[in-house]
Amino acid sequence: MGNITFTMIKPTAMNKGFAGKILEKITDGGFRIQAMKMLRMSKADAEKFYEVHKERPFYGELTEFMSSGPIVAAVLEKENAVEDYRKLIGATNPKDADEGTIRKLYATDIQANAVHGSDSDENALIEASFFFSKKEQFDKDGNLI
Ligand code: CMP
């Protein structure tokens, strides 16, 4: 049971001004922000980040979209973080997401689904280190991890 997950607030949700509301849902859900930044990925960054989906038909569109504007990237800490965060964000396709979940409230469609969330403890660590160095991650006392 890992204690971190990685998230991104995707370009459409940023563009619609939902970042503050999404971060509020995250902290109200009991997650502590261990690291956070706003940036725009290059197409190459997005291709590398989503490399596991390279063979999927939506890979080109997804990486184009994820590099189309700014995102917020963050590492979130909580007991059972990966599973609990997936519950908080809801199903990948917002049409299937439960009421009250972040995707139900703030997603546009399956691609612009408001947020990304890691699917395993192993991927959470890989994704966190894709965006953040050890000098950008803090424990609950404000010390570097
Ligand atoms: P995310 O959690 O960022 O991980 C992979 C992303 O691929 C997923 O959210 C969706 O935005 C996107 N995705 C998954 N399935 C499809 C699909 N069938 N069509 C378009 N995009 C998809």
Side-chain angles (χ1 to χ4, degrees), residues 18-84:
F18 293 152
K21 286 177 172 155
I22 290 171
L23 289 169
E24 189 176 19
K25 287 281 286 180
I26 289 170
T27 51
D28 285 353
F31 293 85
R32 187 185 68 80
I33 298 171
Q34 176 170 310
M36 182 164 71
K37 65 174 114 177
M38 181 171 163
L39 73 148
R40 182 170 175 172
M41 280 196 275
S42 67
K43 181 79 157 58
D45 291 334
E47 284 169 355
K48 187 149 187 261
F49 183 85
Y50 282 113
E51 203 164 12
V52 290
H53 296 303
K54 199 157 72 185
E55 305 306 326
R56 310 286 282 275
F58 56 82
Y59 179 68
E61 220 179 282
L62 176 66
T63 55
E64 199 64 55
F65 166 64
M66 288 303 293
S67 56
S68 67
I71 60 157
V72 165
V75 180
L76 308 175
E77 187 207 42
K78 183 183 185 295
E79 206 176 291
N80 204 27
V82 167
E83 200 181 316
D84 286 1

Side-chain angles (χ1 to χ4, degrees), residues 8 10 49-50 52-53 56-59 61-62 65-66 86 89 92-93 103 109-119 127:
M8 292 185 282
K10 298 190 178 187
F49 183 85
Y50 282 113
V52 290
H53 296 303
R56 310 286 282 275
F58 56 82
Y59 179 68
E61 220 179 282
L62 176 66
F65 166 64
M66 288 303 293
R86 289 172 76 81
I89 67 181
T92 303
N93 189 338
R103 284 172 170 157
D109 55 37
I110 191 168
Q111 179 171 271
N113 60 354
V115 289
H116 166 79
S118 305
D119 63 6
E127 292 173 359

Side-chain angles (χ1 to χ4, degrees), residues 123-143:
N123 282 337
L125 290 172
I126 293 169
E127 292 173 359
S129 60
F130 184 90
F131 283 95
F132 297 99
S133 73
K134 293 282 174 209
K135 289 183 192 161
E136 297 171 306
Q137 301 193 52
F138 301 89
D139 68 18
K140 65 177 174 29
D141 301 315
N143 296 314

